[in-house]
Amino acid sequence: MQLTAKVKEILSWYESDNPGTKANLARILMEGKLGGTGRMVILPVDQGFEHGPARSFAPNPAAYDPHYHFQLALDAGLNAYAAPLGMIEAGAATFAGAIPTILKVNSSNSLSTTKDQAVTGSVSDALRLGCSAIGFTIYPSSEYQFDMMEELRELTEEAKAAGLAVVVWSYPRGPMLDKTAETALDICAYAAHMAALLGAHIIKVKPPTGAISLDAAKKTYENSPVEDDAAKRIAHVVKACFNGRRLVVFSGGEAKGADALLGEARAIHAGGGNGSIVGRNAFQRPRDEALKLLSDMVDVYKA
Ligand code: FBP
């Protein structure tokens, strides 16, 4: 496989990584319809853990089958498929080598009141299953944020030594943040920056709104305002990720109309984000509709 100049440039940003980690990043970046462009669309399916099986899969019952998601990601020509241990294990032989996988190694669930996640997979699981990366969520601002960051530090050290890439879901939440604050621009950029500082290769955040939440940051944003435009907000988050030297993808969120999702993708593209990581908006639609939507998203990123 001939790496494109764009992918070579991206790999050069990760100056400390060993050839194994770079090869795994290249696998993800060269895969699927966006292979070689530096843009990505990834399918994450850990919602069964996070929200429960019925809330996740009842809208499209075929999605109860773990094989469905591997096949969807493959048929849509996506860059990678991310899921917790059991989901990856359930298709590991059938889909070995078919598409890069990201083992989600911690998970939350809706039967808890604490903003925390349990470690539910390991680096050796990821290696055994042929995954390209581990995925880990932190909740900046939660009462458990420092424990989560310390768990991530250990797993990141181990993953990098084993030649894996690290994908960090950085989702601010906790007692000092209300719903508006969780996706406020300053908080989102801060959360993305911390993921970069923790050594993430790929950073995943929710698309930011125009709100500014942290009192201590308000003066700075008044003096250096970010234009009220979705693409400019994405560009601000990208800047917070080492001035664009880290890959940043944005999540899809709850089920919404195709136009809204494609509008977000256009803003991510225009703002220099590297792509989308879209779960419910893909697998909760009937397969044909999902394939059409994912194909339209790929087209946005190809432009
Ligand atoms: P969606 O596209 O379905 O939002 O998936 C992205 C994701 O990060 C999943 O990986 C995760 O299960 C879910 O969102 C968590 O969402 P939340 O923390 O908001 O409940």
Side-chain angles (χ1 to χ4, degrees):
M1 180 178 52
Q2 191 76 25
L3 301 188
T4 60
K6 183 72 205 172
V7 168
K8 283 186 187 160
E9 184 204 343
I10 291 172
L11 294 181
S12 77
W13 299 338
Y14 297 91
E15 298 201 9
S16 72
D17 283 298
N18 63 30
T21 297
K22 288 193 182 224
N24 274 314
L25 276 172
R27 271 171 83 189
I28 296 173
L29 287 163
M30 293 301 297
E31 180 72 26
K33 293 182 182 163
L34 288 169
T37 64
R39 311 279 186 161
M40 294 176 281
V41 178
I42 296 172
L43 178 70
V45 189
D46 58 341
Q47 295 78 357
F49 234 138
E50 306 261 332
H51 307 140
R55 277 171 69 201
S56 303
F57 306 132
N60 174 27
Y64 278 104
D65 182 348
H67 283 207
Y68 179 86
H69 303 286
F70 282 93
Q71 198 63 55
L72 180 64
L74 258 176
D75 292 346
L78 304 191
N79 295 76
Y81 167 53
L85 184 71
M87 291 286 269
I88 301 272
E89 283 186 342
T94 307
F95 297 96
I99 183 163
T101 49
I102 300 166
L103 181 66
K104 188 76 203 313
V105 294
N106 72 342
S107 287
S108 176
N109 66 67
S110 299
L111 308 180
S112 165
T113 53
T114 57
K115 306 291 184 208
D116 197 5
Q117 298 228 343
V119 174
T120 54
S122 67
V123 167
S124 63
D125 288 326
L127 291 171
R128 170 176 62 87
L129 294 165
C131 300
S132 299
I134 58 163
F136 191 96
T137 297
I138 54 170
Y139 291 147
S141 193
S142 124
E143 310 91 311
Y144 303 98
Q145 62 167 331
F146 298 116
D147 293 339
M148 299 177 92
M149 288 177 188
E150 286 171 17
E151 286 163 2
L152 173 59
R153 192 209 68 74
E154 275 181 30
L155 284 160
T156 296
E157 186 178 29
E158 212 187 319
K160 289 182 177 178
L164 295 174
V166 177
V167 185
V168 175
W169 281 229
S170 194
Y171 283 0
R173 62 190 60 176
M176 70 179 268
L177 302 181
D178 59 18
K179 276 283 158 215
T180 302
E182 286 179 1
T183 52
L185 178 62
D186 59 320
I187 304 286
C188 179
Y190 198 164
H193 186 68
M194 285 194 280
L197 292 174
L198 282 157
H201 299 103
I202 302 177
I203 295 157
K204 174 188 180 195
V205 287
K206 298 194 178 191
T209 67
I212 302 295
S213 170
L214 195 63
D215 282 339
K218 283 186 174 153
K219 195 138 214 81
T220 303
Y221 279 88
E222 273 165 30
N223 292 338
S224 311
V226 175
E227 211 179 297
D228 184 18
D229 171 76
K232 295 287 189 311
R233 292 194 285 274
I234 297 289
H236 181 68
V237 173
V238 170
K239 212 172 218 344
C241 295
F242 298 170
N243 206 20
R245 283 177 174 271
R246 290 293 175 266
L247 293 158
V248 195
V249 294
F250 294 82
S251 61
E254 287 175 16
K256 56 186 147 210
D259 287 350
L261 210 67
L262 292 171
E264 271 177 14
R266 277 184 212 104
I268 295 164
H269 178 265
N274 298 94
S276 296
I277 175 155
V278 178
R280 284 164 288 182
N281 276 286
F283 65 74
Q284 290 186 341
R285 285 176 155 77
R287 191 181 133 85
D288 287 354
E289 278 180 39
L291 286 172
K292 166 84 175 84
L293 177 59
L294 291 168
S295 162
D296 290 347
M297 288 185 82
V298 162
D299 286 346
V300 168
Y301 286 116
K302 261 191 186 158

